[in-house]
Amino acid sequence: FLLSFSAICAIPAQVDTSVPSIGFSKTLKGGSPEYLEVRIDANGKGTYQSRSSQDAVIPVSLQLSPATTAQIFSLAKSLSYFHSLDLDTHHKIADMGLKTLTYQNGNEVNKVQFNYTERRAGQRLTDIFEKISNVEERISELEHAMKYDRLSLPEILAQIQDGLDDDSFVETSLMIPTMEKISTDPHLMHLAQSRAQEILTRIHQKK
């Protein structure tokens, strides 16, 4: 697992429990990462953490857009905020990772777990959270490469360009600070700078 510089330096982030929040976690042995967790409150404030071992990881703070936040809470509402909900397909399929959705509003806590769901709202909600994770994992890879393996930056950036083509990300604006650092750092390869700038342009055009 590649822990970003911001995660290393951050004060442990927490979601305000007085504000309704929705959490998503996924555990998949052998996955990359093996464990991930996203937690977002109704104001779009949240945290992200992941690991591929038992090492403790400090959560990274997130701020999602109002549009994505509203979509997450709308989908959760359509699923009765996970109250007495069975999402699992119960068909015999491959292990796709144990997923947990949690809704918390004060003392009210609802939770549902599943491997795979055929419910469209459940699929969409899972997709959003996994695509937020994709963004955060790429940020961690880039910041690690900037410190320890600068020659790998062009390839990572090319993979991000492919991910943008494939609609693999949600909340790409979270990448902006890292892309700005790469695009303006004269010590980095020109190819890395130009790819970071192209990604920045695409992110701004999508906003």
Short mmCIF file of all heavy atoms in Angstrom, two decimals, residues 23 49 53 60 65 69-70 98 110 118 150 176 185 192 206:
data_model
loop_
_atom_site.label_atom_id
_atom_site.label_comp_id
_atom_site.label_asym_id
_atom_site.label_seq_id
_atom_site.Cartn_x
_atom_site.Cartn_y
_atom_site.Cartn_z
N GLY A 23 -21.19 5.27 5.33
CA GLY A 23 -19.89 4.66 5.19
C GLY A 23 -19.94 3.47 4.25
O GLY A 23 -20.97 2.79 4.12
N GLN A 49 -9.56 5.64 3.92
CA GLN A 49 -8.39 4.88 4.33
C GLN A 49 -8.37 3.55 3.61
O GLN A 49 -9.42 3.03 3.22
CB GLN A 49 -8.36 4.67 5.85
CG GLN A 49 -9.56 3.92 6.40
CD GLN A 49 -9.47 3.79 7.92
OE1 GLN A 49 -8.41 3.47 8.47
NE2 GLN A 49 -10.58 4.03 8.60
N SER A 53 -2.34 -4.63 4.23
CA SER A 53 -1.77 -5.44 5.31
C SER A 53 -2.49 -5.05 6.58
O SER A 53 -3.48 -4.33 6.55
CB SER A 53 -0.26 -5.18 5.43
OG SER A 53 -0.02 -3.86 5.88
N VAL A 60 -7.41 9.84 5.53
CA VAL A 60 -7.21 11.08 4.80
C VAL A 60 -8.54 11.83 4.73
O VAL A 60 -9.58 11.22 4.47
CB VAL A 60 -6.71 10.79 3.36
CG1 VAL A 60 -6.46 12.08 2.61
CG2 VAL A 60 -5.46 9.93 3.39
N SER A 65 -18.06 17.00 -3.63
CA SER A 65 -18.92 18.03 -4.19
C SER A 65 -20.35 17.85 -3.70
O SER A 65 -20.76 16.74 -3.35
CB SER A 65 -18.89 17.95 -5.72
OG SER A 65 -19.49 16.73 -6.13
N THR A 69 -22.35 14.21 -3.11
CA THR A 69 -22.91 13.99 -1.78
C THR A 69 -24.41 13.75 -1.85
O THR A 69 -24.94 12.81 -1.24
CB THR A 69 -22.61 15.19 -0.86
OG1 THR A 69 -21.20 15.42 -0.81
CG2 THR A 69 -23.13 14.94 0.54
N ALA A 70 -25.10 14.59 -2.62
CA ALA A 70 -26.55 14.44 -2.77
C ALA A 70 -26.90 13.11 -3.41
O ALA A 70 -27.89 12.46 -3.02
CB ALA A 70 -27.10 15.60 -3.60
N LEU A 98 -16.18 -8.59 0.57
CA LEU A 98 -17.24 -8.30 1.52
C LEU A 98 -17.43 -6.79 1.61
O LEU A 98 -16.51 -6.06 2.00
CB LEU A 98 -16.90 -8.87 2.90
CG LEU A 98 -17.92 -8.54 4.00
CD1 LEU A 98 -19.27 -9.19 3.69
CD2 LEU A 98 -17.40 -9.00 5.36
N ASN A 110 -27.56 1.89 10.99
CA ASN A 110 -28.04 0.78 10.16
C ASN A 110 -26.88 0.27 9.32
O ASN A 110 -26.07 1.05 8.82
CB ASN A 110 -29.16 1.25 9.22
CG ASN A 110 -30.33 1.83 9.96
OD1 ASN A 110 -30.67 1.38 11.05
ND2 ASN A 110 -30.96 2.84 9.37
N GLU A 118 -27.91 -7.36 -6.75
CA GLU A 118 -28.58 -7.13 -8.03
C GLU A 118 -29.46 -5.88 -7.96
O GLU A 118 -30.04 -5.50 -8.98
CB GLU A 118 -29.42 -8.36 -8.41
CG GLU A 118 -28.56 -9.60 -8.66
CD GLU A 118 -29.41 -10.83 -8.93
OE1 GLU A 118 -30.58 -10.86 -8.53
OE2 GLU A 118 -28.88 -11.76 -9.58
N ARG A 150 10.56 8.70 -9.36
CA ARG A 150 10.05 9.69 -10.31
C ARG A 150 9.94 9.16 -11.73
O ARG A 150 9.10 9.63 -12.51
CB ARG A 150 10.95 10.93 -10.28
CG ARG A 150 10.89 11.69 -8.97
CD ARG A 150 11.71 12.96 -9.01
NE ARG A 150 11.51 13.76 -7.81
CZ ARG A 150 12.02 14.98 -7.64
NH1 ARG A 150 12.79 15.52 -8.58
NH2 ARG A 150 11.77 15.65 -6.52
N ILE A 176 -6.49 17.41 -8.11
CA ILE A 176 -5.95 18.69 -8.59
C ILE A 176 -4.67 19.12 -7.87
O ILE A 176 -3.68 19.47 -8.54
CB ILE A 176 -7.03 19.78 -8.54
CG1 ILE A 176 -8.06 19.53 -9.64
CG2 ILE A 176 -6.41 21.18 -8.70
CD1 ILE A 176 -9.24 20.50 -9.63
N ASP A 185 6.58 21.24 -11.40
CA ASP A 185 7.87 20.89 -10.81
C ASP A 185 8.92 20.74 -11.91
O ASP A 185 8.89 19.77 -12.68
CB ASP A 185 7.75 19.58 -10.02
CG ASP A 185 9.01 19.28 -9.21
OD1 ASP A 185 10.08 19.79 -9.56
OD2 ASP A 185 8.91 18.50 -8.23
N ALA A 192 6.06 13.70 -17.75
CA ALA A 192 5.19 13.67 -16.57
C ALA A 192 4.46 14.99 -16.41
O ALA A 192 3.25 15.03 -16.13
CB ALA A 192 6.01 13.35 -15.32
N LYS A 206 -14.46 19.15 -16.94
CA LYS A 206 -15.56 18.32 -16.47
C LYS A 206 -16.32 18.97 -15.33
O LYS A 206 -17.47 18.62 -15.05
CB LYS A 206 -15.01 16.96 -16.03
CG LYS A 206 -16.09 15.90 -15.81
CD LYS A 206 -15.45 14.56 -15.51
CE LYS A 206 -16.54 13.48 -15.31
NZ LYS A 206 -15.95 12.15 -15.03
#
